[in-house]
Amino acid sequence: KYNSVIDENPLSDKINPMKKISESVRQKIAESGMTQSQLSEASGVSQGRISEFLSGGTINSDNLDKIAAALFLKILQFRPKDS
């Protein structure tokens, strides 16, 4: 049922804010009707990196900004730290 302890934790969005961000981005992608490939072309971020992020991986702030701009989003908080 659950993939990890974090999934079971009701505070998981506070522990893992990237999960909430990726869910928001996934929703905006669906609303836009864009494919990951189209988003990649529009944002300049590789389709593989987008897929990894949407699957729960991390992403640096530059790539997140590019994706947000391509989707006309403004992400004001919970920006990830560059690794």
Side-chain angles (χ1 to χ4, degrees):
K1 184 176 179 181
Y2 293 105
N3 292 330
S4 70
V5 172
I6 288 194
D7 288 339
E8 295 176 16
N9 187 333
L11 301 175
S12 64
D13 287 343
K14 292 180 181 181
I15 294 169
N16 185 4
M18 289 304 298
K19 180 178 177 183
K20 187 169 187 160
I21 293 171
S22 67
E23 288 172 358
S24 294
V25 171
R26 188 179 301 110
Q27 180 181 359
K28 292 297 180 186
I29 292 170
E31 290 172 6
S32 74
M34 293 177 88
T35 65
Q36 287 184 20
S37 180
Q38 291 167 328
L39 179 57
S40 173
E41 187 173 325
S43 66
V45 177
S46 74
Q47 191 274 329
R49 180 72 61 204
I50 292 169
S51 178
E52 182 180 328
F53 168 60
L54 295 176
S55 297
T58 60
I59 193 165
N60 68 41
S61 61
D62 289 338
N63 285 340
L64 184 58
D65 287 344
K66 291 175 185 178
I67 291 169
L71 292 169
F72 304 105
L73 293 175
K74 290 184 181 180
I75 299 176
L76 302 176
Q77 51 178 258
F78 298 121
R79 288 176 45 128
K81 295 179 182 178
D82 290 328
S83 31

